[in-house]
Amino acid sequence: ASIAAEASNDRQLQNTASDTRSAGSSAGSSSGSARHLPSGDRYQGGWLDGKPNGKGTYWWSDGSHYDGNWTNGQKNGNGTYTWPSGAVYTGDWVGGVMQGVGTYTSKDGATYRGSWYKDEKHGLGRKSYANGDKYEGIWKNGKPDGPGMYRWSDGSEYNGEWVQGQMHGKGTFVWPNKERYDGEWVQGREQ
């Protein structure tokens, strides 16, 4: 399951909330027992005008679930989303998308801690890969973009500019034997 699948779940939630409201659910606020929805999903927590609102937990029929704050049927504030694969995001949400500061841990154990914008790594962040590599720096649209440092598990290190996930611009590469190259990079290649 991907972040795109997460967006699909949000659309399904909106449709389910509408179905539940038209089926005669309470229009007021409540936080009683779990609600079993027509889609096979389940929700327990605050409820207002036929939608999750306040603190609550939603379990989708695909095995994913979200525990956190809701506003008008959308994830909003702080919360934790778990995918069926076991991947987990804990952090800020705005209007149903990961936005603000949060931590994402993938099923292989890779972890990203930092800024998010519209479900993408965006801003300052640090990623530790499952193979032991690490990147710390600026992200844009889910890729390193701007100043950053990448350390490979073999001891190699690049410190410099990135564009769309590639070393590009001024930078220094140091190999494990301490040889180094200081200079310009174009699309991942020294010039």
Side-chain angles (χ1 to χ4, degrees):
S2 66
I3 292 173
E6 160 65 12
S8 174
N9 281 343
D10 276 344
R11 285 189 296 278
Q12 181 181 1
L13 171 59
Q14 292 296 321
N15 293 337
T16 300
S18 295
D19 293 346
T20 304
R21 190 171 46 249
S22 64
S25 68
S26 166
S29 178
S30 68
S31 59
S33 63
R35 297 171 186 270
H36 297 273
L37 305 171
S39 63
D41 298 344
R42 191 167 48 105
Y43 176 76
Q44 183 166 358
W47 194 259
L48 181 64
D49 295 330
K51 297 176 186 175
N53 202 70
K55 178 85 171 124
T57 303
Y58 196 104
W59 296 269
W60 282 268
S61 59
D62 69 359
S64 58
H65 64 277
Y66 172 79
D67 180 40
N69 294 308
W70 297 83
T71 302
N72 199 26
Q74 294 187 323
K75 295 181 275 315
N76 215 47
N78 193 275
T80 299
Y81 185 91
T82 304
W83 282 262
S85 68
V88 177
Y89 171 82
T90 299
D92 298 329
W93 297 82
V94 175
V97 298
M98 296 178 287
Q99 189 160 307
V101 176
T103 300
Y104 174 86
T105 303
S106 66
K107 67 180 181 178
D108 69 1
T111 300
Y112 171 82
R113 289 180 177 91
S115 297
W116 293 82
Y117 182 72
K118 294 184 179 178
D119 286 342
E120 297 268 341
K121 298 171 199 82
H122 197 90
L124 183 61
R126 176 184 305 152
K127 183 168 183 178
S128 298
Y129 296 84
N131 68 359
D133 292 357
K134 296 179 188 219
Y135 172 80
E136 183 171 0
I138 303 298
W139 296 76
K140 184 176 179 184
N141 300 319
K143 297 179 181 177
D145 198 303
M149 179 183 287
Y150 194 105
R151 291 187 180 115
W152 284 263
S153 59
D154 70 359
S156 300
E157 183 178 288
Y158 172 79
N159 190 357
E161 292 294 319
W162 293 79
V163 174
Q164 296 182 358
Q166 294 187 331
M167 298 176 287
H168 192 91
K170 283 188 122 4
T172 300
F173 192 98
V174 180
W175 284 266
N177 66 6
K178 303 302 178 202
E179 286 186 35
R180 65 187 291 145
Y181 171 77
D182 294 298
E184 290 293 321
W185 294 79
V186 176
Q187 297 180 338
R189 302 179 89 98
E190 57 187 88
Q191 295 299 300

